[in-house]
Amino acid sequence: MSFDWIFFDCFNTLIDDFTPDGDESGVKPILGLPVAAGFYATEAEFKVDYDRWKRGRWSGNDWGEVDLAVRLKEILTTKDASRKDEVPALVNRMMRRFKLEYTNTLRLTPGICEMLKRWRDIVKMGVISNFYLRDWPQRMLMKFGLYDYFDFVIDSASFGFKKPGQTIYLGALQRAAISVDQAERVLFIGDNLANDVLAPMELGMKVIYLDRSNDRPTSELVPEGVSSIKCWTEFKPENFQGY
């Protein structure tokens, strides 16, 4: 191999949480609570505001992560400032519901265990994950028996910065004891073009796009010249000699 590390994305790469309509925000378990509290008429309206908040928060170059509770507080307070005193209690209910129910939405990405077994004695492996609660990627990898395959796991809430900002990738390179000018020693794999393909490419890493279009609706097209796979059975060492 011309690479000796693989960096993986976590959610919807190693562990799936996307909904049948392809949403990967993870907030489905809590959509009904702001409706029940009278802040929104429908779950869809709350989801629109949640997505709008994300687009506004990360429309520039500040890729600092924001805890889920902080996100919810800002969204609900903006929705109805006259009820701001009710927001903390509602956010607490939403967070309790999330922590109870989110894990029930998770399942292993098909073929992931067999793939990791094939590669673990050939290269070192790490995980770089965006997530809005500290240490949750680590906890979920442990829950599904995947954690011990990896030399390190970096999550954006603990690290403070998220993909596709460069800071978190540079932190991962440092953990792997790889200098930026040797970034081609790393192969990055994930399901998000911006986070797992374009940004790592800018730093000189090799990339493979995990194209999940067979499993969920997607509007992302594979850029010309980018290698991709549609399932983990395609990712075998013999298929990537000299990559």
Side-chain angles (χ1 to χ4, degrees):
M1 300 295 163
S2 59
F3 55 89
D4 48 22
W5 276 88
I6 302 175
F7 292 171
F8 291 93
D9 172 48
C10 185
F11 294 104
N12 303 312
T13 295
L14 304 173
I15 300 171
D16 285 346
D17 73 351
F18 61 85
T19 62
D21 63 358
D23 180 68
E24 55 185 84
S25 65
V27 297
K28 182 176 176 56
I30 60 175
L31 293 179
L33 290 177
V35 176
F39 277 77
Y40 288 88
T42 67
E43 293 182 1
E45 289 181 11
F46 172 69
K47 185 59 168 55
V48 167
D49 273 3
Y50 182 81
D51 291 340
R52 181 184 296 120
W53 180 92
K54 289 196 300 181
R55 290 193 299 271
R57 175 61 180 80
W58 292 295
S59 59
N61 294 319
D62 177 9
W63 292 101
E65 184 59 276
V66 180
D67 184 89
L68 178 59
V70 176
R71 300 183 186 196
L72 297 175
K73 180 179 179 181
E74 291 184 3
I75 293 165
L76 293 167
T77 302
T78 300
K79 175 64 176 177
D80 192 345
S82 69
R83 299 177 64 186
K84 65 180 181 179
D85 291 343
E86 302 173 47
V87 168
L90 176 55
V91 169
N92 285 339
R93 291 198 298 275
M94 295 174 78
M95 293 302 298
R96 287 197 298 270
R97 174 75 60 83
F98 181 88
K99 291 174 181 179
L100 284 172
E101 297 190 9
Y102 172 72
T103 56
N104 296 327
T105 71
L106 302 179
R107 60 274 181 200
L108 285 173
T109 304
I112 191 63
C113 294
E114 294 79 3
M115 182 277 291
L116 292 173
K117 289 175 184 176
R118 285 195 296 267
W119 284 93
R120 65 177 167 185
D121 294 327
I122 299 173
V123 294
K124 295 181 179 179
M125 298 187 286
V127 175
I128 308 176
S129 176
N130 282 354
F131 205 73
Y132 35 54
L133 293 177
R134 292 173 62 94
D135 300 325
W136 271 57
Q138 293 89 325
R139 290 172 59 184
M140 298 306 103
L141 290 167
M142 289 178 185
K143 173 183 172 65
F144 285 96
L146 302 182
Y147 185 81
D148 288 341
Y149 285 106
F150 303 106
D151 292 84
F152 66 83
V153 178
I154 295 177
D155 71 276
S156 58
S158 297
F159 189 77
F161 294 91
K162 62 183 289 166
K163 302 180 290 185
Q166 285 196 354
T167 305
I168 194 168
Y169 305 101
L170 295 174
L173 288 173
Q174 186 175 33
R175 287 287 299 273
I178 296 175
S179 61
V180 176
D181 61 1
Q182 293 181 314
E184 73 280 356
R185 293 170 54 197
V186 175
L187 173 64
F188 204 110
I189 305 180
D191 70 304
N192 184 287
L193 282 174
N195 295 346
D196 309 322
V197 175
L198 301 180
M201 283 177 65
E202 288 181 1
L203 286 171
M205 299 181 199
K206 296 177 171 65
V207 298
I208 293 176
Y209 174 50
L210 180 60
D211 179 359
R212 301 300 303 278
S213 58
N214 287 343
D215 306 302
R216 69 169 193 245
T218 181
S219 59
E220 294 185 314
L221 299 176
V222 183
E224 185 175 352
V226 172
S227 296
S228 66
I229 56 175
K230 287 200 169 185
C231 60
W232 287 121
T233 56
E234 299 177 35
F235 188 52
K236 298 178 181 179
E238 59 267 28
N239 295 341
F240 289 88
Q241 293 292 335
Y243 185 74

